[in-house]
Amino acid sequence: GLITPAGTYTVTATNTTTGCSNNMRGEAVINISPSVVPTIHIAAVTGDTLCTGATAHFTSVATNGGVSATYQWTLNGTSIAGATNSTYTYTPANGDVLTTRLTSDTLCTSPASVMSNTVTLTVDPELVPTVVIAQHPGGALLPGQTDTLSATVTNGGTPPAYQWEVNGIAIPGATNATYTPSNLNNADTVTCLVTSGGPCGGNTTKSNGAGIVVSNVGVPTSPQPSPEEMVLQPNPNKGTFTIKGNTGTTNEEVGITITDMLGQEVFTTKAVTHNGLLNQQVQLSKGIANGMYLVNVHTADGTRVFHVVVQQ
C-alpha cells in the first residue's frame, strides 16, 4: 500500500519458523522505473506557405518515444492511410491542417499516446499575369513625335518584369512599365512581355499589340538601290552591315547616326559619296546588345531612317 519512489531496492525475506534448526534468508533486487511523458513536435521543412502544385515535406522530433515508436499522421482531423512514419510528404491544398499522433513503447509512459502540434498550410496560386497597353496621347504621330505607351498588369506579383518589343524584336533597356519611343515607323507594332514576380511567379504574358500610325514617313525597302534610294544589307546582322544608295549629290558628306529604341546614340560616323553614290560599311561594337536599332542617314535632301536588327 506504499508509494515507492523510482530507484533500485533490495528485498530480504527470513524464515523463522519455530522448530527449524536453521533460519532461511533470501534477497531480491527490484528496479522501479520513473514515469515519463512522451512528446512530439512536427515542422514543415519546406515552410508553411507554398505555391500551387508544390510538395510539402514534414518531419517530427519525439522525446521518450522508445525504440519502436509508432506514428499516425492526420490531415484535417482524418487519419491518413499508410502515413505511419516519422516523416510525411504530400501536395497540399490551401488551409490544410497537419498533425501526427505518437505512440511510445517506452516503459512507464503516461500517457502512452500523445498528439503533436498542428501546422496550417497556405497555398498560393501561380501568378499568370494579364497585361494591356495603352498609348498616350495616341492617334496618328508626326515624324519624330513621341508617344508614351504604358502597361497595366494584373497578377503581376512583386515586382513584375517588363520587356518592350517593336515588331517582335526586344528593345534593349526598355524594361519599365512605360515606354516612350520617338523614332517609330508607320505600321510598327509595339508589344510588352510581362513576367510575374514573387515566389509563385515566373509566368510570361504578351500584351495586345499597339499599332503605330505615322504620317508622311516612308522607309525604303527595295532590295537593290535605284536612283534616290538606299538599302541597308544584310538585315538582320551581327553588328556589321553596309549602307548603299544614290544621294543625288556628287561628293557629298553624309552623316550616319545609330540610336537604340530609347533614343540613346550608340554609333556615329561620317562618309563621303563618290559621284553621288554612297557605299559605307558600319561595324558596331561587339558588346552591343541584341535588338532593334534605328539607323539615320543624313543627306542634303533629308534623312532616311532604317530599322536594323542585331543578332550576335
Side-chain angles (χ1 to χ4, degrees):
L2 297 177
I3 299 175
T4 304
T8 301
Y9 299 87
T10 301
V11 179
T12 303
T14 302
N15 187 344
T16 56
T17 304
T18 303
C20 294
S21 58
N22 296 308
N23 291 337
M24 298 181 66
R25 181 184 177 89
E27 293 182 351
V29 177
I30 300 175
N31 292 317
I32 299 178
S33 299
S35 177
V36 296
V37 178
T39 63
I40 183 168
H41 180 83
I42 64 172
V45 178
T46 47
D48 57 9
T49 301
L50 301 94
C51 300
T52 298
T55 300
H57 300 277
F58 287 85
T59 187
S60 63
V61 176
T63 58
N64 298 320
V67 177
S68 302
T70 59
Y71 301 84
Q72 178 59 65
W73 291 84
T74 63
L75 173 61
N76 301 325
T78 301
S79 296
I80 305 170
T84 56
N85 297 319
S86 60
T87 61
Y88 181 59
T89 299
Y90 85 119
T91 302
N94 187 46
D96 277 355
V97 178
L98 266 291
T99 58
T100 191
R101 177 175 289 279
L102 168 71
T103 300
S104 172
D105 66 349
T106 298
L107 293 175
C108 300
T109 52
S110 179
S113 179
V114 292
M115 290 295 293
S116 72
N117 58 304
T118 63
V119 176
T120 302
L121 295 174
T122 300
V123 179
D124 293 328
E126 287 191 4
L127 293 176
V128 179
T130 59
V131 53
V132 176
I133 61 175
Q135 298 171 251
H136 309 282
L141 304 177
L142 296 175
Q145 183 180 359
T146 61
D147 196 23
T148 298
L149 298 101
S150 60
T152 301
V153 180
T154 57
N155 290 329
T158 307
Y162 301 88
Q163 177 59 66
W164 291 87
E165 297 180 344
V166 175
N167 300 329
I169 305 298
I171 307 305
T175 56
N176 296 316
T178 59
Y179 172 48
T180 306
S182 60
N183 292 304
L184 293 174
N185 283 337
N186 190 43
D188 279 348
T189 299
V190 180
T191 53
C192 184
L193 290 175
V194 176
T195 302
S196 57
C200 296
N203 294 292
T204 299
T205 301
K206 179 177 281 193
S207 73
N208 58 306
I212 305 299
V213 178
V214 181
S215 301
N216 302 320
V217 173
V219 177
T221 59
S222 173
Q224 296 296 329
S226 59
E228 308 305 324
E229 288 188 349
M230 289 185 187
V231 295
L232 185 152
Q233 297 173 332
N235 191 12
N237 56 68
K238 295 183 177 182
T240 301
F241 53 88
T242 300
I243 303 171
K244 297 180 180 180
N246 189 335
T247 67
T249 303
T250 302
N251 300 331
E252 171 189 5
E253 185 177 77
V254 175
I256 300 173
T257 59
I258 300 177
T259 65
D260 61 22
M261 297 301 288
L262 297 176
Q264 298 172 330
E265 186 176 286
V266 298
F267 178 88
T268 183
T269 191
K270 293 185 181 297
V272 177
T273 63
H274 298 282
N275 297 322
L277 296 178
L278 175 66
N279 187 355
Q280 179 67 30
Q281 185 182 68
V282 174
Q283 183 169 354
L284 302 178
S285 64
K286 292 184 178 179
I288 194 168
N290 290 340
M292 182 181 293
Y293 294 86
L294 294 174
V295 179
N296 300 273
V297 182
H298 308 285
T299 64
D301 61 350
T303 298
R304 293 170 174 82
V305 181
F306 298 88
H307 280 107
V308 62
V309 176
V310 175
Q311 296 177 340
Q312 300 200 51

